[in-house]
Amino acid sequence: YVANAGIVEYAIPADNGYVYLIDKAIEPLNTIYEVLEKHPEEYSYFKKMYDRFADIQFSSQYTDKYAAPGDSLYVYYHHSTLPKIAAEWTYNKEASQNDYAHMGPLTGNSFTAIVPDDQAMKQYFGEDGFFNKYGSVDEIPHLVLNYFLRNHVFNKSITLPEDFKNGLYSEFGDKYEVDPDADVNYKEMCENGTFYGVKKVIEPAPFRTVTGPLFQHPEYSIFAYMMDKSSEIVQLINMDNDYTLFIPNNSVFEELGYELDMGNENIYGDETLKKPGIDDMVSVSVTEMQSIVATHIVPQKIEREELSDGRKFFEAKQLYVYVMSEDGYLVTQGNTNSMVRITADLGEWENGKAYEVENVLAPVSYSLYNQLQREDRFREFFQLMKRSGVADSVNYNIPPIAGENS
């Protein structure tokens, strides 16, 4: 092949070289994003997902060179961890070196897009589909879309049809099970890579393992954010180990005063998890998030019956922390005043089990100061404490106040 034309006769000798005959005229190549734009009836779902990550940046260079007086020119990118498939170049200043000077990535890298068609995406949003809890693409959080899209678009060396047969692997370690003859219904060589339209969704490993409920259920978005920031999602896709994941829903964290500040909702990565501080909300550190989520991970598969059969102990991923189960309730050592009930069995996944729990397991902590501050019934008493100067003496961490099972 030459671009998108097939060679029908090779190396015809000529006085000053060789001639190759092709089966059609070579038109200027599209970018991968332009292919999506030119096929709105086939790939509208995928394009809309990618457009959720659109980033338009002012270009002083292009404005100075090409803009009419008083006009400004902007460059259309896709931000965050996604390949910039609208750009003609495959390196766009991701590192400190100028794009035009970084010859290695420019000459050796190529975007590959394996794009499910709209029929496949409709099934994925359908009654039995993974995204059936979301009404539309606009309702899916950026974090979920980010993992989904990264499994379908990547930046490596050029991908040719035979590479699928030889073994092509995603960043999550999965082999792409794509038959270029049976699964691909459209393909095009682009100026920034290769485009493959396929008849099925390539489901990412994090959607199939114990982290699956975090992506499937909107009500787990806070815990999903903590898992992502703690780098636990990519660790729990290991198929060689079994896991059990205990997941508190958003209302549990909100009752403890936590909130997920979305920042600029159009920019992935602008989110911040906050909790009550002395005078205002403060950011939750990655270290604290790591400690919280690791307490909810047990590196073994625990069946529901085991959690309801007497008293048993399981070692959590968090160092020196054990989860005790007793007749359907959970507790961590040092926090025996807070028995936590399992509220839902979230099913069996490829490497273990996941459960919803009614409260956060230790070591989530907050100060008595914060507790008094946010309870309306203690407002006057809290103000007296502040005026008397004793409020600061109760600003130390205590275990979470338990619910009805205390």
Side-chain angles (χ1 to χ4, degrees):
Y1 287 89
V2 178
N4 292 296
I7 300 174
V8 296
E9 193 168 347
Y10 290 79
I12 302 172
D15 289 343
N16 58 349
Y18 294 90
V19 177
Y20 290 77
L21 300 183
I22 56 178
D23 58 6
K24 63 180 178 180
I26 298 175
E27 298 179 358
L29 298 181
N30 299 308
T31 64
I32 289 174
Y33 187 76
E34 287 172 333
V35 176
L36 293 175
E37 288 183 314
K38 292 180 178 181
H39 294 81
E41 296 182 359
E42 289 86 6
Y43 308 112
S44 63
Y45 276 81
F46 197 86
K47 181 180 178 296
K48 192 169 186 179
M49 287 180 169
Y50 228 92
D51 283 345
R52 290 277 306 278
F53 293 80
D55 187 15
I56 301 175
Q57 301 177 6
F58 170 72
S59 173
S60 59
Q61 177 185 358
Y62 293 156
T63 299
D64 292 343
K65 284 186 176 181
Y66 307 113
D71 286 348
S72 299
L73 295 182
Y74 294 78
V75 178
Y76 187 95
Y77 285 111
H78 290 99
H79 61 81
S80 184
T81 58
L82 299 180
K84 295 176 172 57
I85 59 173
E88 296 178 350
W89 291 2
T90 54
Y91 171 78
N92 295 277
K93 296 183 180 178
E94 284 85 0
S96 59
Q97 193 168 359
N98 288 328
D99 45 12
Y100 60 83
H102 212 359
M103 296 305 296
L106 286 174
T107 57
N109 289 5
S110 172
F111 298 141
T112 298
I114 308 170
V115 181
D117 61 24
D118 280 358
Q119 184 176 353
M121 290 304 303
K122 286 177 183 177
Q123 293 177 356
Y124 213 61
F125 276 91
E127 184 177 349
D128 298 323
F130 188 86
F131 281 159
N132 64 358
K133 304 292 190 301
Y134 302 100
S136 68
V137 169
D138 293 329
E139 295 181 14
I140 304 177
H142 276 100
L143 186 147
V144 177
L145 289 178
N146 179 57
Y147 278 86
F148 180 87
L149 293 172
R150 280 163 53 195
N151 204 54
H152 290 84
V153 184
F154 52 89
N155 186 0
K156 296 180 181 178
S157 57
I158 190 169
T159 300
L160 299 176
E162 56 265 29
D163 292 324
F164 291 108
K165 297 179 179 180
N166 296 334
L168 185 67
Y169 292 84
S170 76
E171 69 168 282
F172 304 118
D174 279 339
K175 181 180 179 181
Y176 284 106
E177 298 294 344
V178 175
D179 185 332
D181 300 316
D183 297 328
V184 176
N185 51 23
Y186 181 78
K187 58 181 180 288
E188 183 173 331
M189 183 68 70
C190 304
E191 65 177 311
N192 59 353
T194 48
F195 181 99
Y196 295 94
V198 294
K199 303 175 185 177
K200 62 182 182 181
V201 169
I202 314 300
E203 193 163 68
F207 287 23
R208 308 190 321 269
T209 50
V210 293
T211 56
L214 304 178
F215 299 96
Q216 192 174 37
H217 297 270
E219 62 268 29
Y220 302 144
S221 60
I222 292 179
F223 195 70
Y225 174 86
M226 299 171 74
M227 289 280 290
D228 180 60
K229 287 296 182 182
S230 303
S231 300
E232 288 289 359
I233 290 176
V234 293
Q235 295 186 44
L236 294 194
I237 64 175
N238 187 343
M239 300 295 184
D240 295 329
N241 296 326
D242 288 335
Y243 298 95
T244 299
L245 183 62
F246 299 106
I247 306 174
N249 65 32
N250 290 350
S251 62
V252 171
F253 287 102
E254 290 163 357
E255 288 175 6
L256 294 171
Y258 285 71
E259 65 178 43
L260 187 56
D261 183 349
M262 301 307 296
N264 185 336
E265 294 189 359
N266 295 319
I267 298 180
Y268 174 61
D270 202 41
E271 311 89 351
T272 306
L273 183 63
K274 296 183 177 181
K275 66 176 183 178
I278 294 178
D279 296 315
D280 202 355
M281 300 294 286
V282 297
S283 298
V284 180
S285 69
V286 172
T287 300
E288 182 176 347
M289 286 189 273
Q290 289 172 334
S291 180
I292 293 171
V293 300
T295 305
H296 293 74
I297 300 168
V298 173
Q300 69 180 84
K301 179 181 176 182
I302 309 174
E303 297 292 350
R304 186 69 177 87
E305 300 76 32
E306 296 181 74
L307 298 171
S308 304
D309 184 18
R311 175 179 292 185
K312 295 184 178 178
F313 293 86
F314 306 97
E315 186 175 1
K317 190 175 182 186
Q318 176 69 6
L319 194 62
Y320 306 128
V321 172
Y322 286 83
V323 176
M324 182 187 78
S325 68
E326 185 168 11
D327 299 329
Y329 291 91
L330 303 174
V331 68
T332 55
Q333 82 275 19
N335 191 35
T336 53
N337 66 317
S338 181
M339 299 292 289
V340 177
R341 182 168 54 94
I342 295 173
T343 49
D345 185 334
L346 299 175
E348 185 159 340
W349 302 79
E350 288 190 11
N351 64 348
K353 294 277 293 184
Y355 302 94
E356 181 185 276
V357 290
E358 68 174 346
N359 208 337
V360 179
L361 301 176
V364 170
S365 61
Y366 48 83
S367 68
L368 184 58
Y369 182 105
N370 300 142
Q371 177 70 10
L372 295 172
Q373 182 184 39
R374 61 191 179 90
E375 291 275 356
D376 288 341
R377 55 182 173 155
F378 299 138
R379 182 181 296 114
E380 292 185 10
F381 182 74
F382 179 69
Q383 293 302 322
L384 288 173
M385 290 180 64
K386 289 189 71 174
R387 286 199 293 270
S388 66
V390 301
D392 289 341
S393 66
V394 295
N395 189 26
Y396 54 87
N397 287 340
I398 61 174
I401 294 177
E404 60 187 38
N405 299 310
S406 298

